């Protein structure tokens, strides 16, 4: 009773106890090749390169915590222990932004920022976010006056750190004028 060309397969050996009595249904035929009338598929677009952040932090524990936070946010991270190392790392290039602790040995974050800005060219424009546990009004004023793009008080959450980086990496206007005006307004 089968259509012409179809055959019935019957097992030669009965199936073992508990096994299904019939074979699974046949697989559908493979799908045909991509029809010729469709435009070719676009080439695969590579993922955008990951942004690299330089972390300048003298405290080893803080440096490790910040590094892990940034890596979880998808950034590549290079970490250094002081301002002098930060200036040298920026001079070598390859960073998209700097998270700079303000109070470090050998060269503090303010002096390091001034030295980076003095490098000139593209290196002098790298976004620098100043970080300090000293959240006094004068701290923000000094950071922005030294040339930092943005100021954040410690402790800083991963979300706030991510937002600050996203803002400076997007090319948003530096906080220098707005930050200075806000500090002046709070002081009055």
């Amino acid at each position: 009773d089968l259509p012409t060309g179809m055959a019935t397969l019957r097992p030669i050996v009965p199936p073992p106890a508990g096994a299904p009595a019939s074979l699974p249904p046949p697989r559908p035929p493979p799908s045909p090749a991509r029809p010729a009338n469709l435009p070719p598929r676009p080439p695969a677009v590579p993922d955008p390169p990951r942004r690299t952040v330089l972390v300048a932090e003298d405290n080893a524990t803080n440096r490790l915590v910040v590094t892990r936070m940034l890596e979880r946010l998808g950034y590549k991270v290079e970490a250094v222990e002081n301002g002098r190392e930060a200036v040298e790392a920026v001079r070598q290039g390859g960073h998209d932004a700097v998270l700079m602790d303000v109070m470090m040995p050998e060269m503090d974050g303010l002096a390091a920022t001034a030295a980076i800005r003095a490098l000139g060219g593209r290196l002098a424009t790298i976004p620098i976010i100043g970080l300090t546990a000293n959240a006094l009004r004068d701290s923000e004023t000094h950071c922005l006056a030294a040339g930092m793009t943005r100021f954040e008080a410690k402790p800083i959450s991963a979300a706030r750190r991510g937002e600050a980086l996203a803002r400076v990496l997007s090319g948003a206007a530096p906080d220098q004028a707005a930050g200075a005006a806000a500090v002046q307004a709070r002081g009055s």
Side-chain angles (χ1 to χ4, degrees):
D1 299 337
L2 294 173
T4 307
M6 298 290 288
T8 303
L9 297 176
R10 294 194 178 145
I12 299 172
V13 178
S22 64
L23 297 173
R27 290 189 179 149
S31 59
R34 187 172 175 86
N37 62 343
L38 290 179
R41 288 188 177 124
V45 177
D47 288 334
R50 289 175 42 193
R51 300 292 193 115
T52 301
V53 177
L54 175 65
V55 173
E57 168 64 65
D58 62 314
N59 181 289
T61 302
N62 289 347
R63 199 169 46 248
L64 179 64
V65 168
V66 170
T67 296
R68 295 297 175 255
M69 281 174 133
L70 293 175
E71 288 172 342
R72 275 188 237 115
L73 291 171
Y75 293 99
K76 289 190 283 187
V77 179
E78 179 183 351
V80 297
E81 296 180 19
N82 60 59
R84 195 170 315 282
E85 291 175 0
V87 174
E88 185 53 36
V90 169
R91 182 178 284 123
Q92 291 175 14
H95 304 96
D96 298 297
V98 179
L99 287 179
M100 180 84 71
D101 186 17
V102 173
M103 301 177 84
M104 294 183 288
E106 292 189 46
M107 178 185 275
D108 68 22
L110 301 175
T113 298
I116 290 168
R117 297 300 183 224
L119 292 173
R122 188 188 68 75
L123 297 177
T125 64
I126 188 169
I128 301 174
I129 300 173
L131 302 172
T132 183
N134 182 8
L136 300 174
R137 282 180 280 209
D138 287 346
S139 298
E140 183 175 12
T141 302
H142 293 311
C143 288
L144 299 176
M148 292 182 175
T149 313
R150 194 172 168 90
F151 169 87
E152 294 290 339
K154 293 181 188 176
I156 181 171
S157 69
R160 218 170 85 214
R161 190 178 315 256
E163 186 278 329
L165 276 168
R167 182 178 163 106
V168 299
L169 290 171
S170 72
D175 283 354
Q176 288 145 328
V183 169
Q184 291 296 328
R186 282 196 304 245
S188 15

